[in-house]
Amino acid sequence: MPTVDTDYTSAVAAYLKERADADAEIGAAVAAYRAEADRLAAAVEAARAAREQANSDSVNAATLVAETDKTVAVLWRSLGDFVGHRRTGPTPSAGDPDPDPGPERVRERLERSERLLSLARQGELPIEAPRHTEVTAAAIGLALGALAVWAALGMLKSEGLQFAEALAALTLFAGIGTGPIVLGAWLSWQYRVRPRPGQTLVCVGAAIVAVCALAGLFMRGL
């Protein structure tokens, strides 16, 4: 009889152990299943978010391309209006792709191009004209001063011209004052810059020297 009780007890213990082991395996399998399901759900959500971001980036890229093409076309036409369409030719095609084509980077470049073109139209590009422009400024001043003296001399020698002396004096002053205007037009046409103060002073000084020297030489005794 004791042997039967012992066998029964052992069988129950073995059953309980096997049941505990089975429950543990089932629990581990359920936990693994849930973990894998959560991982797959996260992966699906990440893929969905990536797809939505890709679609948004695609739309933004298409918008940026259209905006860039339109702005570049307008800038190129404006540049052609400024320097001549024969020099610019048709709108160039896109060059090598930018390694960092961020939207803000592209827009900053376009805005910078617009600012430079606006400065060029105003003759205010942030560059210096060549050194020889001082010599050209002096030549312009001398030429206009000499021309003013020649015109004033003709007025003084003409008979029947009323207020000849006043007109001659006005012509001399006009010859001096016209120098910076002509210099500015030449620099704007040639180099797309405005005259610097030093160049203006050289031009005005040369005109004054020419007017004083030639007026003293040719108008003595009139």
Side-chain angles (χ1 to χ4, degrees):
M1 193 69 177
T3 303
V4 174
D5 292 339
T6 302
D7 293 340
Y8 174 76
T9 302
S10 299
V12 170
Y15 166 75
L16 293 176
K17 183 178 181 303
E18 290 179 359
R19 181 175 178 180
D21 292 341
D23 290 342
E25 291 180 1
I26 292 172
V30 170
Y33 168 78
R34 288 176 178 173
E36 183 66 15
D38 292 341
R39 188 186 68 80
L40 291 176
V44 170
E45 186 64 26
R48 185 180 292 112
R51 184 188 63 184
E52 292 176 355
Q53 184 63 41
N55 292 336
S56 177
D57 291 342
S58 176
V59 172
N60 292 336
T63 302
L64 181 61
V65 168
E67 177 185 343
T68 302
D69 289 344
K70 181 180 177 180
T71 304
V72 168
V74 171
L75 285 174
W76 199 255
R77 284 197 302 270
S78 299
L79 180 63
D81 294 338
F82 181 60
V83 302
H85 292 283
R86 291 185 178 180
R87 293 185 179 183
T88 58
T91 304
S93 58
D96 296 332
D98 193 335
D100 184 20
E104 296 302 323
R105 181 185 177 94
V106 173
R107 292 189 174 96
E108 285 177 1
R109 288 183 175 181
L110 293 176
E111 290 175 359
R112 182 173 180 273
S113 300
E114 290 177 346
R115 287 195 301 270
L116 288 177
L117 182 56
S118 178
L119 289 174
R121 286 174 171 173
Q122 300 170 18
E124 296 179 352
L125 280 178
I127 58 176
E128 291 289 340
R131 292 289 182 183
H132 71 270
T133 50
E134 279 78 6
V135 178
T136 305
I140 291 174
L142 290 173
L144 291 175
L147 182 62
V149 172
W150 175 79
L153 187 61
M155 292 178 185
L156 293 175
K157 287 185 177 181
S158 63
E159 297 179 357
L161 180 62
Q162 295 182 350
F163 309 109
E165 293 182 356
L167 290 175
L170 183 61
T171 301
L172 294 179
F173 283 113
I176 296 173
T178 306
I181 299 175
V182 175
L183 175 64
W186 179 74
L187 286 175
S188 178
W189 171 74
Q190 189 70 19
Y191 301 109
R192 312 301 177 191
V193 296
R194 283 187 175 181
R196 300 299 186 256
Q199 298 164 353
T200 302
L201 290 176
V202 168
C203 182
V204 172
I208 292 174
V209 169
V211 168
C212 293
L214 295 178
L217 180 63
F218 293 108
M219 295 185 182
R220 260 184 326 189
L222 290 179

Coordinates of all heavy atoms in Angstrom, one line a residue, residues 39-94:
R39 N 6.8 44.4 -32.8 CA 7.9 44.8 -33.6 C 7.4 45.0 -35.1 O 7.7 46.0 -35.7 CB 9.0 43.7 -33.6 CG 10.3 44.2 -34.4 CD 11.3 43.0 -34.4 NE 10.8 41.9 -35.2 CZ 10.9 41.9 -36.5 NH1 11.4 42.9 -37.2 NH2 10.4 40.9 -37.2
L40 N 6.6 44.0 -35.5 CA 6.0 44.2 -36.9 C 5.1 45.4 -37.0 O 5.2 46.1 -38.0 CB 5.3 42.9 -37.3 CG 6.1 41.6 -37.4 CD1 5.2 40.4 -37.7 CD2 7.1 41.8 -38.6
A41 N 4.3 45.6 -36.0 CA 3.4 46.8 -36.0 C 4.3 48.1 -36.1 O 3.9 49.0 -36.8 CB 2.5 46.8 -34.8
A42 N 5.4 48.1 -35.3 CA 6.2 49.3 -35.3 C 6.9 49.5 -36.6 O 7.0 50.6 -37.2 CB 7.3 49.2 -34.2
A43 N 7.3 48.3 -37.2 CA 7.9 48.4 -38.6 C 6.9 48.9 -39.6 O 7.3 49.7 -40.5 CB 8.5 47.0 -38.9
V44 N 5.7 48.4 -39.5 CA 4.7 48.9 -40.4 C 4.4 50.4 -40.3 O 4.3 51.1 -41.3 CB 3.4 48.0 -40.2 CG1 2.2 48.7 -41.0 CG2 3.6 46.6 -40.7
E45 N 4.3 50.8 -39.0 CA 4.1 52.2 -38.8 C 5.2 53.1 -39.3 O 5.0 54.1 -39.9 CB 3.9 52.4 -37.2 CG 3.5 53.8 -36.9 CD 2.1 54.2 -37.4 OE1 1.3 53.3 -37.7 OE2 1.9 55.5 -37.7
A46 N 6.5 52.6 -39.0 CA 7.6 53.3 -39.5 C 7.6 53.4 -41.1 O 7.9 54.4 -41.7 CB 8.9 52.7 -39.0
A47 N 7.3 52.3 -41.7 CA 7.2 52.2 -43.2 C 6.1 53.2 -43.7 O 6.3 53.9 -44.7 CB 7.0 50.8 -43.7
R48 N 5.0 53.2 -43.0 CA 3.9 54.1 -43.4 C 4.4 55.6 -43.2 O 4.1 56.4 -44.1 CB 2.7 53.8 -42.5 CG 1.5 54.7 -43.0 CD 0.3 54.4 -42.1 NE -0.2 53.0 -42.4 CZ -0.2 52.0 -41.5 NH1 0.4 52.2 -40.3 NH2 -0.6 50.8 -41.8
A49 N 5.0 55.9 -42.1 CA 5.5 57.2 -41.9 C 6.6 57.6 -43.0 O 6.6 58.7 -43.5 CB 6.1 57.4 -40.5
A50 N 7.5 56.6 -43.3 CA 8.5 56.9 -44.3 C 7.8 57.1 -45.7 O 8.3 58.0 -46.4 CB 9.5 55.7 -44.4
R51 N 6.8 56.4 -46.0 CA 6.1 56.6 -47.2 C 5.4 57.9 -47.3 O 5.5 58.6 -48.3 CB 5.0 55.5 -47.4 CG 4.3 55.5 -48.8 CD 3.2 54.5 -48.8 NE 2.2 54.9 -47.9 CZ 1.1 54.1 -47.6 NH1 0.9 53.0 -48.3 NH2 0.2 54.5 -46.7
E52 N 4.8 58.3 -46.2 CA 4.1 59.6 -46.2 C 5.2 60.8 -46.3 O 5.0 61.8 -47.0 CB 3.3 59.8 -44.9 CG 2.1 58.9 -44.8 CD 1.4 59.0 -43.5 OE1 1.9 59.7 -42.6 OE2 0.3 58.4 -43.3
Q53 N 6.3 60.6 -45.6 CA 7.4 61.6 -45.7 C 8.0 61.6 -47.1 O 8.3 62.7 -47.6 CB 8.5 61.2 -44.7 CG 9.7 62.3 -44.7 CD 9.2 63.6 -44.2 OE1 8.4 63.7 -43.3 NE2 9.7 64.7 -44.8
A54 N 8.1 60.4 -47.7 CA 8.6 60.4 -49.1 C 7.7 61.1 -50.1 O 8.1 61.9 -51.0 CB 8.9 59.0 -49.6
N55 N 6.4 60.9 -49.9 CA 5.4 61.5 -50.7 C 5.4 63.0 -50.5 O 5.3 63.8 -51.5 CB 4.0 61.0 -50.4 CG 3.8 59.6 -50.8 OD1 4.5 59.1 -51.7 ND2 2.9 58.9 -50.2
S56 N 5.5 63.5 -49.2 CA 5.6 64.9 -48.9 C 6.9 65.5 -49.5 O 6.8 66.6 -50.1 CB 5.6 65.1 -47.4 OG 5.8 66.5 -47.1
D57 N 8.0 64.8 -49.4 CA 9.3 65.3 -50.0 C 9.2 65.4 -51.5 O 9.7 66.3 -52.1 CB 10.4 64.4 -49.6 CG 10.8 64.5 -48.1 OD1 10.3 65.4 -47.5 OD2 11.4 63.5 -47.6
S58 N 8.5 64.4 -52.1 CA 8.3 64.4 -53.6 C 7.5 65.6 -54.0 O 7.9 66.3 -55.0 CB 7.7 63.1 -54.0 OG 7.4 63.1 -55.4
V59 N 6.4 65.9 -53.3 CA 5.6 67.1 -53.6 C 6.4 68.4 -53.4 O 6.4 69.3 -54.3 CB 4.3 67.1 -52.8 CG1 3.5 68.4 -52.9 CG2 3.4 65.9 -53.1
N60 N 7.1 68.4 -52.3 CA 7.9 69.6 -52.0 C 9.0 69.8 -53.1 O 9.3 70.9 -53.5 CB 8.5 69.6 -50.6 CG 7.5 69.6 -49.5 OD1 6.4 70.2 -49.7 ND2 7.8 69.1 -48.3
A61 N 9.6 68.7 -53.5 CA 10.7 68.8 -54.5 C 10.1 69.3 -55.8 O 10.7 70.1 -56.5 CB 11.4 67.4 -54.6
A62 N 9.0 68.7 -56.2 CA 8.3 69.2 -57.4 C 8.0 70.6 -57.4 O 8.2 71.4 -58.3 CB 7.1 68.3 -57.7
T63 N 7.5 71.1 -56.2 CA 7.1 72.5 -56.1 C 8.4 73.4 -56.1 O 8.4 74.4 -56.8 CB 6.4 72.7 -54.7 OG1 5.3 71.9 -54.7 CG2 6.0 74.2 -54.5
L64 N 9.5 72.9 -55.5 CA 10.7 73.7 -55.5 C 11.3 73.7 -56.9 O 11.8 74.8 -57.3 CB 11.7 73.0 -54.5 CG 13.1 73.7 -54.4 CD1 12.9 75.1 -53.9 CD2 14.0 72.9 -53.5
V65 N 11.2 72.6 -57.6 CA 11.7 72.6 -59.0 C 11.0 73.6 -59.9 O 11.6 74.4 -60.6 CB 11.7 71.2 -59.6 CG1 11.9 71.2 -61.1 CG2 12.7 70.3 -58.9
A66 N 9.6 73.6 -59.7 CA 8.8 74.5 -60.5 C 9.1 76.0 -60.1 O 9.3 76.9 -61.0 CB 7.3 74.2 -60.3
E67 N 9.2 76.2 -58.8 CA 9.5 77.6 -58.3 C 10.9 78.0 -58.8 O 11.1 79.2 -59.2 CB 9.5 77.6 -56.8 CG 9.9 78.9 -56.2 CD 9.9 78.8 -54.6 OE1 9.3 77.8 -54.1 OE2 10.5 79.7 -54.0
T68 N 11.9 77.1 -58.7 CA 13.3 77.5 -59.2 C 13.3 77.7 -60.7 O 13.9 78.7 -61.1 CB 14.2 76.3 -58.8 OG1 14.2 76.1 -57.4 CG2 15.6 76.6 -59.2
D69 N 12.7 76.9 -61.4 CA 12.7 77.1 -62.9 C 12.0 78.4 -63.3 O 12.5 79.2 -64.1 CB 11.9 76.0 -63.6 CG 12.7 74.6 -63.5 OD1 13.9 74.7 -63.3 OD2 12.1 73.6 -63.8
K70 N 10.9 78.8 -62.6 CA 10.3 80.0 -62.9 C 11.1 81.2 -62.5 O 11.3 82.2 -63.3 CB 8.9 80.1 -62.1 CG 8.1 81.4 -62.4 CD 6.8 81.3 -61.6 CE 6.1 82.6 -61.8 NZ 4.8 82.6 -61.0
T71 N 11.7 81.2 -61.3 CA 12.6 82.3 -60.8 C 13.8 82.4 -61.7 O 14.2 83.5 -62.0 CB 13.0 82.0 -59.4 OG1 11.8 81.8 -58.6 CG2 13.8 83.2 -58.8
V72 N 14.4 81.3 -62.1 CA 15.6 81.4 -62.9 C 15.3 81.9 -64.3 O 16.1 82.8 -64.8 CB 16.2 80.0 -63.0 CG1 17.3 79.9 -64.1 CG2 16.9 79.5 -61.7
A73 N 14.1 81.6 -64.8 CA 13.7 82.1 -66.1 C 13.5 83.6 -66.0 O 14.0 84.4 -66.9 CB 12.5 81.4 -66.6
V74 N 12.9 84.1 -65.0 CA 12.7 85.5 -64.8 C 14.0 86.2 -64.6 O 14.3 87.3 -65.2 CB 11.8 85.8 -63.6 CG1 11.7 87.3 -63.2 CG2 10.4 85.3 -63.8
L75 N 14.9 85.7 -63.8 CA 16.2 86.3 -63.6 C 17.0 86.3 -64.8 O 17.7 87.3 -65.1 CB 17.0 85.5 -62.5 CG 16.6 85.7 -61.0 CD1 17.3 84.7 -60.1 CD2 16.8 87.1 -60.6
W76 N 17.0 85.3 -65.6 CA 17.7 85.2 -66.9 C 17.2 86.3 -67.9 O 18.0 86.9 -68.6 CB 17.7 83.8 -67.5 CG 18.8 83.6 -68.4 CD1 18.7 83.5 -69.8 CD2 20.2 83.3 -68.1 NE1 19.9 83.3 -70.4 CE2 20.8 83.2 -69.4 CE3 20.9 83.3 -67.0 CZ2 22.2 82.9 -69.4 CZ3 22.3 83.0 -67.0 CH2 22.9 82.9 -68.3
R77 N 15.9 86.4 -67.9 CA 15.4 87.5 -68.8 C 15.7 88.8 -68.3 O 16.1 89.7 -69.1 CB 13.8 87.3 -68.9 CG 13.3 86.2 -69.7 CD 11.9 86.4 -70.1 NE 11.0 86.5 -68.9 CZ 10.5 85.4 -68.3 NH1 10.7 84.2 -68.8 NH2 9.7 85.6 -67.2
S78 N 15.7 89.0 -67.0 CA 16.1 90.3 -66.5 C 17.6 90.6 -66.7 O 18.0 91.7 -67.0 CB 15.8 90.4 -64.9 OG 14.5 90.2 -64.7
L79 N 18.4 89.6 -66.6 CA 19.8 89.7 -66.9 C 20.0 90.1 -68.4 O 20.9 90.9 -68.8 CB 20.6 88.4 -66.6 CG 22.1 88.4 -66.8 CD1 22.8 89.5 -66.0 CD2 22.7 87.1 -66.5
G80 N 19.2 89.4 -69.3 CA 19.3 89.7 -70.7 C 18.9 91.2 -71.0 O 19.5 91.8 -71.8
D81 N 17.9 91.6 -70.3 CA 17.4 93.0 -70.4 C 18.5 94.0 -70.0 O 18.6 95.1 -70.5 CB 16.2 93.3 -69.6 CG 15.0 92.5 -70.1 OD1 15.0 92.1 -71.3 OD2 14.0 92.3 -69.3
F82 N 19.4 93.6 -69.0 CA 20.4 94.4 -68.5 C 21.7 94.4 -69.4 O 22.2 95.5 -69.7 CB 20.7 94.0 -67.1 CG 21.8 94.8 -66.4 CD1 21.5 96.2 -66.2 CD2 22.9 94.3 -65.9 CE1 22.5 97.0 -65.6 CE2 23.9 95.1 -65.3 CZ 23.7 96.4 -65.1
V83 N 22.1 93.3 -69.7 CA 23.4 93.2 -70.5 C 23.2 92.9 -72.0 O 24.2 92.9 -72.7 CB 24.3 92.1 -69.9 CG1 24.6 92.4 -68.4 CG2 23.7 90.7 -70.0
G84 N 22.0 92.6 -72.4 CA 21.7 92.3 -73.8 C 21.5 90.8 -73.9 O 22.2 90.0 -73.4
H85 N 20.4 90.5 -74.6 CA 20.0 89.1 -74.8 C 21.0 88.3 -75.7 O 21.1 87.1 -75.6 CB 18.6 89.0 -75.4 CG 17.5 89.4 -74.4 ND1 17.1 88.7 -73.3 CD2 16.9 90.6 -74.3 CE1 16.2 89.3 -72.7 NE2 16.0 90.5 -73.2
R86 N 21.7 89.0 -76.5 CA 22.7 88.3 -77.4 C 23.9 87.8 -76.5 O 24.5 86.8 -76.8 CB 23.3 89.3 -78.4 CG 22.3 89.7 -79.5 CD 23.0 90.6 -80.5 NE 22.0 90.9 -81.6 CZ 22.4 91.7 -82.6 NH1 23.6 92.1 -82.8 NH2 21.4 91.9 -83.6
R87 N 24.2 88.5 -75.4 CA 25.2 88.0 -74.5 C 24.8 86.8 -73.7 O 25.5 85.9 -73.4 CB 25.7 89.1 -73.6 CG 26.4 90.2 -74.3 CD 26.9 91.2 -73.3 NE 27.7 92.3 -73.9 CZ 28.3 93.3 -73.2 NH1 28.2 93.3 -71.9 NH2 28.9 94.3 -73.9
T88 N 23.5 86.8 -73.2 CA 23.0 85.8 -72.3 C 22.6 84.5 -73.1 O 22.8 83.4 -72.7 CB 21.9 86.3 -71.5 OG1 20.8 86.8 -72.3 CG2 22.4 87.4 -70.6
G89 N 21.9 84.7 -74.2 CA 21.4 83.6 -75.0 C 20.2 83.0 -74.3 O 19.6 83.6 -73.3
P90 N 19.8 81.8 -74.6 CA 18.6 81.1 -74.0 C 18.9 80.7 -72.6 O 20.1 80.7 -72.2 CB 18.4 79.9 -74.9 CG 19.7 79.6 -75.5 CD 20.4 80.9 -75.7
T91 N 17.9 80.5 -71.8 CA 18.1 80.1 -70.4 C 18.9 78.8 -70.4 O 18.5 77.8 -71.1 CB 16.7 79.8 -69.8 OG1 15.9 81.0 -69.9 CG2 16.9 79.5 -68.3
P92 N 20.0 78.7 -69.6 CA 20.8 77.5 -69.6 C 20.1 76.3 -68.9 O 19.2 76.5 -68.1 CB 22.0 77.9 -68.8 CG 21.5 79.0 -67.9 CD 20.5 79.8 -68.7
S93 N 20.5 75.1 -69.3 CA 19.9 73.9 -68.7 C 20.6 73.7 -67.3 O 21.6 74.4 -67.0 CB 20.2 72.7 -69.6 OG 21.6 72.6 -69.8
A94 N 20.0 72.9 -66.5 CA 20.5 72.6 -65.2 C 21.9 72.0 -65.3 O 22.2 71.2 -66.1 CB 19.6 71.7 -64.4

